[in-house]
Amino acid sequence: MTSLAVELTAVAQAAFAAEGLSPELGVVQISDRPDLAQFQCNGALPAAKQAKANPRAIAEKIAARLKTNPLFAKVEIAGPGFINLDVTDAALESRVGAAAKDTRLGAPQAGTGKAAVIDFGGANVAKPMHVGHLRSSVIGDSLQRLFRANGWNVVSDVHLGDWGLQMGQLISEIGHRGLAPIYFDPNFTGPYPGESPVTMDDLEEIYPAASAACKADPARLEEARKATAELQAGRHGYRALWQHFFAVSRIGLEREWGSLGIHFDLWKGEASVEPLMAPMIEDLNARHVAEESEGALVIRVARNGDKKEMPPLILVKSDGAVLYGSTDLATIVDRVRSQNPDLILYVVDQRQHQHFEQVFRAARKAGLNGKAELEHAGFGTMNGPDGKPFKTREGGVMKLYDLIAMVTEEADKRLTEAGLGADYSAEERASIAKMVGIATLKFADLSNYRLTDYIFDLARFSKFEGKTGPYLQYAAVRIQSILRKAAEEGHKTGAPVVRSAEERKLALQLLSLPDVMTTAEERRAPNMLCDYAFTLAQEFSRFYSEHHILSEADTALRAARLGLCELTLKTLSKVLDLLGIEVPARM
Ligand code: ARG
């Protein structure tokens, strides 16, 4: 199924072609002025330029052809040659009827046959997740859902930070504390204990201490660097310790992401490409893509005409350690070998833009990216009410699980205020509060264009009115309850009819779902889905307040209106699902 705008475009393009004009100019889009028309086609203006003719005269000719098509209820020319279009109610009805029968609700399948790796989450082993990782997780998850819905074959990879200096810092701190001496004993040949000498809680205490020690004392930093290089070079005891860090961190991270409903196909990390590193470096050396510079091995990526300085990508430092850029490059090799994707999309903080530019240039220069397009989808920061990166009340870094607890508590308060769920079991009530809390968080994050910084205003984002996650959940729950009552009263649902202004607007919004899914994918912009869901809920609410539904005496009309309710619910739930937001059974 295609959207109505796509269908009308085909009609207009045929009219352009019949007039001997470039058919690609016949694009029909949803009108920017819904008060004047449902759709518009602006192609007569560029067509006139090409043909050196009068745009209004061209518009007249196109309009005359469109008027012969029974799809249109109105074909009008406005201004210098814009064509304004309305379709008939019968046309809307048949399309809405078809959408109601389509399990995919007309979702575009343009991604069929294409594969994408989406790299998001990116938490670091042994460090708690913070709100910076939250944005990557929430935006990345929405994009993986959207790409899949559009037909792409998506593999998501969490790409954990598990190979850098923080590993050496942890190891050397544990050595200093004498916590697990056998891992440091050069004469011990294994096997090492299966149980980790440290828990996640231990790591959360040890890492900040280790990092502080390295900041205060250059000798400690040197030790940590050495431990990092030795770990990477394969020292057995260090590798065994590292395995434990990874395993205990993964359990904690899986629990946190799981509670947000976020899942990854692959749990790889920087370290997982270690076996590819030496052969890759050897190859880059042999082909002279990499070169020696002050004891390090680098790939030069600067180009003439660069507006900003573009430093070379450092592959291997003079002490033998590899860096973030080296593991990212080897990860491209790994992904091309295992998935051969058409696209690798990195959903990472915009502040890492230069890093990705270096990696992408290096990969292309070395021909490592296969057929894959490499793209960084960056995002801005989530700030607190003071306009600075979100902190706890005490001024510390806000951890993700504290944030989830905070939004859940706020949701619970709001439910009480609104008198919702007062008579539910404590268990159901807690589960609703959690869903509403997470919707607050995710919608707040997704409703802004990803590159803009935003202020997380809990009081505003947790309201049941306005453009919020809880409002949309509530809208869906309300439709569910109408349909439940209808079923209890034995009312049937039928094919929707479109007669009133409210029904028309609701139908048009429902039918534009494929368009928004396409553009949101193209721009990597889940905020467009948020706008869509909000408008849909508003159109529904206007329809609901102007029409009798359950109380409609005409059985056929009641069934048709229930049909519209049902399609609205399916569509709203689908879009919320693309945003990673669940709808409670009741509220
Ligand atoms: N671990 C990194 C960080 O916390 C993010 C990783 C992003 N992905 C990547 N392939 N570099 O900043």
Side-chain angles (χ1 to χ4, degrees):
M1 238 179 86
T2 51
S3 81
L4 193 47
V6 170
E7 193 184 335
L8 300 182
T9 295
V11 173
Q13 288 182 331
F16 274 71
E19 288 299 331
L21 302 164
S22 311
E24 63 277 13
L25 296 175
V27 174
V28 174
Q29 62 198 54
I30 295 168
S31 172
D32 317 324
R33 288 285 306 273
D35 52 323
L36 298 182
Q38 297 168 347
F39 295 92
Q40 65 188 63
C41 172
N42 302 344
L45 292 98
K49 233 187 218 148
Q50 272 183 10
K52 299 203 174 32
N54 176 317
R56 247 195 114 92
I58 290 198
E60 304 276 3
K61 285 188 189 157
I62 301 294
R65 288 189 181 270
L66 297 181
K67 276 182 188 153
T68 63
N69 192 316
L71 256 178
F72 297 108
K74 177 176 96 179
V75 178
E76 259 173 26
I77 299 170
F82 301 114
I83 305 172
N84 284 335
L85 302 165
D86 278 355
V87 299
T88 63
D89 289 345
L92 288 177
E93 269 173 24
S94 74
R95 274 55 176 190
V96 167
K101 287 199 198 99
D102 179 7
T103 45
R104 276 205 279 259
L105 303 171
Q109 294 296 299
T112 309
K114 290 196 280 183
V117 172
I118 306 186
D119 178 318
F120 71 97
N124 298 310
V125 161
K127 291 197 222 172
M129 262 202 270
H130 54 72
V131 296
H133 297 117
L134 173 74
R135 294 214 73 191
S136 171
S137 308
V138 170
I139 299 168
D141 183 48
S142 178
L143 291 175
Q144 78 167 332
R145 289 164 184 263
L146 176 63
F147 273 69
R148 283 201 180 107
N150 286 347
W152 285 77
N153 174 16
V154 175
V155 173
S156 53
D157 180 12
V158 60
H159 200 79
L160 294 181
D162 60 1
W163 210 225
L165 181 64
Q166 85 266 27
M167 294 296 122
Q169 290 177 315
L170 279 174
I171 292 171
S172 72
E173 177 72 19
I174 288 173
H176 268 267
R177 294 188 187 189
L179 287 180
I182 56 163
Y183 294 89
F184 295 84
D185 180 352
N187 300 318
F188 184 76
T189 52
Y192 292 95
E195 188 157 334
S196 174
V198 286
T199 63
M200 189 62 210
D201 285 343
D202 294 335
L203 290 178
E204 285 189 13
E205 180 269 317
I206 296 171
Y207 176 72
S211 148
C214 291
K215 267 196 198 116
D217 181 356
R220 289 291 300 268
L221 181 62
E222 206 29 55
E223 249 176 64
R225 289 226 167 93
K226 191 162 162 257
T228 310
E230 285 182 320
L231 167 73
Q232 293 181 354
R235 181 166 163 168
H236 293 302
Y238 289 6
R239 288 281 175 103
L241 260 183
W242 178 91
Q243 296 279 357
H244 290 309
F245 300 159
F246 189 92
V248 297
S249 295
R250 176 168 175 168
I251 293 169
L253 291 170
E254 252 172 330
R255 194 181 320 120
E256 269 180 89
W257 273 314
S259 77
L260 286 172
I262 297 176
H263 302 281
F264 298 90
D265 299 313
L266 297 178
W267 276 76
K268 293 200 172 183
E270 297 162 359
S272 67
V273 293
E274 197 275 333
L276 302 180
M277 196 59 83
M280 178 182 84
I281 291 168
E282 198 178 308
D283 165 58
L284 295 175
N285 258 328
R287 292 195 286 129
H288 304 291
V289 180
E291 57 192 273
E292 189 97 9
S293 169
E294 296 167 40
L297 193 66
V298 306
I299 300 181
R300 298 197 187 279
V301 291
R303 288 185 201 137
N304 285 337
D306 275 344
K307 289 209 182 68
K308 265 201 238 144
E309 197 202 325
M310 192 54 72
L313 179 111
I314 302 175
L315 266 184
V316 188
K317 287 203 303 173
S318 50
D319 67 1
V322 295
L323 296 175
Y324 189 40
S326 343
T327 53
D328 262 329
L329 204 57
T331 302
I332 293 176
V333 173
D334 181 35
R335 289 171 177 165
V336 168
R337 263 186 218 167
S338 49
Q339 328 300 335
N340 193 21
D342 299 276
L343 170 71
I344 307 180
L345 189 65
Y346 297 80
V347 186
V348 185
D349 197 314
Q350 184 63 10
R351 285 171 291 190
Q352 297 192 25
H353 193 67
Q354 174 170 296
H355 163 78
F356 284 109
E357 188 57 30
Q358 286 174 306
V359 171
F360 297 170
R361 287 187 184 191
R364 292 184 197 117
K365 182 172 178 180
L368 298 178
N369 58 319
K371 61 171 167 150
E373 192 90 55
L374 304 172
E375 185 184 327
H376 175 210
F379 53 80
T381 23
M382 164 173 161
N383 291 323
D386 58 356
K388 298 203 185 103
F390 204 83
K391 293 265 160 64
T392 60
R393 256 177 236 137
E394 294 73 38
V397 176
M398 180 63 108
K399 293 179 191 160
L400 193 53
Y401 46 72
D402 294 330
L403 189 62
I404 295 175
M406 184 178 98
V407 292
T408 306
E409 194 185 308
E410 184 74 12
D412 197 59
K413 226 167 70 190
R414 294 281 176 165
L415 287 165
T416 308
E417 271 168 25
L420 294 171
D423 49 349
Y424 299 171
S425 72
E427 206 185 346
E428 184 178 358
R429 177 58 196 255
S431 129
I432 297 173
K434 174 112 189 278
M435 275 189 225
V436 174
I438 288 175
T440 303
L441 196 61
K442 288 188 175 178
F443 197 86
D445 204 80
L446 293 170
S447 56
N448 300 283
Y449 178 58
R450 60 185 159 75
L451 280 168
T452 29
D453 297 344
Y454 74 99
I455 290 181
F456 186 75
D457 177 348
L458 183 57
R460 182 157 73 86
F461 293 137
S462 59
K463 282 201 178 123
F464 283 105
E465 66 258 12
K467 199 174 161 189
T468 69
Y471 165 73
L472 294 170
Q473 283 177 317
Y474 188 64
V477 164
R478 205 164 59 154
I479 309 175
Q480 279 172 6
S481 92
I482 298 169
L483 292 168
R484 202 159 30 222
K485 269 204 203 99
E488 279 163 18
E489 290 170 20
H491 299 324
K492 294 244 162 3
T493 305
V497 293
V498 176
R499 284 177 205 167
S500 67
E502 294 79 21
E503 286 167 337
R504 220 166 274 135
K505 291 189 91 176
L506 180 55
L508 283 166
Q509 182 66 8
L510 287 166
L511 292 173
S512 68
L513 176 70
D515 301 319
V516 72
M517 287 174 70
T518 302
T519 17
E521 177 200 306
E522 282 167 1
R523 301 196 195 156
R524 324 316 188 195
N527 63 301
M528 301 181 85
L529 299 171
C530 294
D531 292 341
Y532 176 88
F534 182 58
T535 308
L536 180 61
Q538 283 182 311
E539 296 300 358
F540 180 80
S541 157
R542 286 185 197 117
F543 158 74
Y544 182 70
S545 65
E546 292 302 318
H547 297 77
H548 294 285
I549 298 177
L550 291 172
S551 58
E552 173 58 55
D554 177 335
T555 327
L557 200 51
R558 183 175 56 220
R561 289 191 180 143
L562 285 169
L564 210 45
C565 291
E566 199 171 64
L567 181 59
T568 305
L569 176 63
K570 276 195 210 156
T571 308
L572 184 56
S573 308
K574 161 132 192 168
V575 177
L576 289 175
D577 181 61
L578 294 176
L579 298 170
I581 293 176
E582 284 181 281
V583 177
R586 55 180 192 166
M587 259 161 104

Short mmCIF file of all heavy atoms in Angstrom, two decimals, residues 119 122-124 133 159 161 324 328 346 348 352 356, ligand 1:
data_model
loop_
_atom_site.label_atom_id
_atom_site.label_comp_id
_atom_site.label_asym_id
_atom_site.label_seq_id
_atom_site.Cartn_x
_atom_site.Cartn_y
_atom_site.Cartn_z
N ASP A 119 24.40 1.38 15.48
CA ASP A 119 25.32 1.36 16.61
C ASP A 119 24.82 2.39 17.62
O ASP A 119 24.82 3.58 17.35
CB ASP A 119 26.71 1.73 16.05
CG ASP A 119 27.82 1.82 17.08
OD1 ASP A 119 27.59 2.38 18.18
OD2 ASP A 119 28.95 1.38 16.76
N GLY A 122 26.13 2.24 23.56
CA GLY A 122 27.51 2.66 23.79
C GLY A 122 27.93 2.91 25.23
O GLY A 122 28.80 3.75 25.48
N ALA A 123 27.33 2.21 26.18
CA ALA A 123 27.74 2.41 27.58
C ALA A 123 29.16 1.89 27.76
O ALA A 123 29.70 1.20 26.89
CB ALA A 123 26.78 1.68 28.51
N ASN A 124 29.75 2.23 28.88
CA ASN A 124 31.12 1.81 29.13
C ASN A 124 31.16 0.80 30.27
O ASN A 124 30.50 0.98 31.30
CB ASN A 124 31.96 3.03 29.45
CG ASN A 124 31.99 3.99 28.27
OD1 ASN A 124 32.26 3.59 27.14
ND2 ASN A 124 31.64 5.24 28.51
N HIS A 133 24.09 8.45 27.76
CA HIS A 133 23.80 7.17 27.12
C HIS A 133 22.30 6.98 26.94
O HIS A 133 21.86 6.24 26.08
CB HIS A 133 24.38 6.02 27.94
CG HIS A 133 25.88 6.07 28.03
ND1 HIS A 133 26.55 6.23 29.21
CD2 HIS A 133 26.82 6.03 27.05
CE1 HIS A 133 27.85 6.26 28.96
NE2 HIS A 133 28.04 6.15 27.66
N HIS A 159 27.92 -1.87 21.08
CA HIS A 159 29.30 -1.37 21.03
C HIS A 159 29.78 -0.78 22.36
O HIS A 159 30.02 0.44 22.50
CB HIS A 159 29.48 -0.34 19.90
CG HIS A 159 30.93 -0.17 19.53
ND1 HIS A 159 31.60 -1.06 18.74
CD2 HIS A 159 31.84 0.76 19.89
CE1 HIS A 159 32.85 -0.66 18.60
NE2 HIS A 159 33.03 0.43 19.30
N GLY A 161 32.01 0.31 25.50
CA GLY A 161 33.37 0.84 25.70
C GLY A 161 34.07 -0.07 26.70
O GLY A 161 33.83 0.00 27.89
N TYR A 324 40.43 4.43 20.55
CA TYR A 324 39.01 4.43 20.18
C TYR A 324 38.82 4.40 18.65
O TYR A 324 37.98 3.67 18.14
CB TYR A 324 38.44 5.72 20.78
CG TYR A 324 36.94 5.91 20.74
CD1 TYR A 324 36.06 4.86 20.98
CD2 TYR A 324 36.41 7.18 20.48
CE1 TYR A 324 34.69 5.07 20.97
CE2 TYR A 324 35.05 7.40 20.48
CZ TYR A 324 34.19 6.34 20.71
OH TYR A 324 32.84 6.57 20.70
N ASP A 328 37.17 1.43 16.31
CA ASP A 328 36.03 1.75 15.44
C ASP A 328 36.31 1.34 13.99
O ASP A 328 35.41 0.88 13.29
CB ASP A 328 35.67 3.24 15.53
CG ASP A 328 34.50 3.48 16.48
OD1 ASP A 328 33.63 2.58 16.59
OD2 ASP A 328 34.45 4.54 17.13
N TYR A 346 25.59 5.49 13.23
CA TYR A 346 26.10 5.64 14.60
C TYR A 346 25.28 6.69 15.32
O TYR A 346 25.30 7.86 14.94
CB TYR A 346 27.56 6.10 14.58
CG TYR A 346 28.52 5.14 13.92
CD1 TYR A 346 28.63 5.06 12.53
CD2 TYR A 346 29.31 4.29 14.69
CE1 TYR A 346 29.51 4.17 11.94
CE2 TYR A 346 30.20 3.40 14.10
CZ TYR A 346 30.29 3.34 12.72
OH TYR A 346 31.16 2.46 12.13
N VAL A 348 25.32 8.62 18.23
CA VAL A 348 26.29 8.98 19.27
C VAL A 348 26.29 10.51 19.42
O VAL A 348 26.07 11.23 18.45
CB VAL A 348 27.72 8.49 18.89
CG1 VAL A 348 28.71 8.76 20.00
CG2 VAL A 348 27.72 7.00 18.53
N GLN A 352 31.11 13.94 19.41
CA GLN A 352 32.07 13.00 18.82
C GLN A 352 32.11 13.12 17.30
O GLN A 352 32.61 12.23 16.61
CB GLN A 352 31.74 11.57 19.25
CG GLN A 352 31.87 11.39 20.75
CD GLN A 352 31.83 9.93 21.19
OE1 GLN A 352 32.15 9.02 20.43
NE2 GLN A 352 31.44 9.70 22.43
N PHE A 356 34.12 10.67 14.36
CA PHE A 356 33.51 9.86 13.31
C PHE A 356 33.96 10.30 11.93
O PHE A 356 34.16 9.46 11.05
CB PHE A 356 31.98 9.83 13.45
CG PHE A 356 31.56 8.92 14.58
CD1 PHE A 356 31.05 9.44 15.75
CD2 PHE A 356 31.75 7.56 14.48
CE1 PHE A 356 30.72 8.61 16.81
CE2 PHE A 356 31.42 6.70 15.53
CZ PHE A 356 30.89 7.23 16.70
N1 ARG B 1 31.45 4.29 24.56
C1 ARG B 1 31.33 5.54 23.88
C2 ARG B 1 31.02 6.65 24.88
O1 ARG B 1 30.57 6.41 25.98
C3 ARG B 1 30.27 5.53 22.81
C4 ARG B 1 30.44 4.48 21.73
C5 ARG B 1 29.76 4.87 20.46
N2 ARG B 1 29.96 3.95 19.35
C6 ARG B 1 31.06 3.86 18.61
N3 ARG B 1 31.12 2.97 17.67
N4 ARG B 1 32.09 4.64 18.82
O2 ARG B 1 31.20 7.80 24.54
#
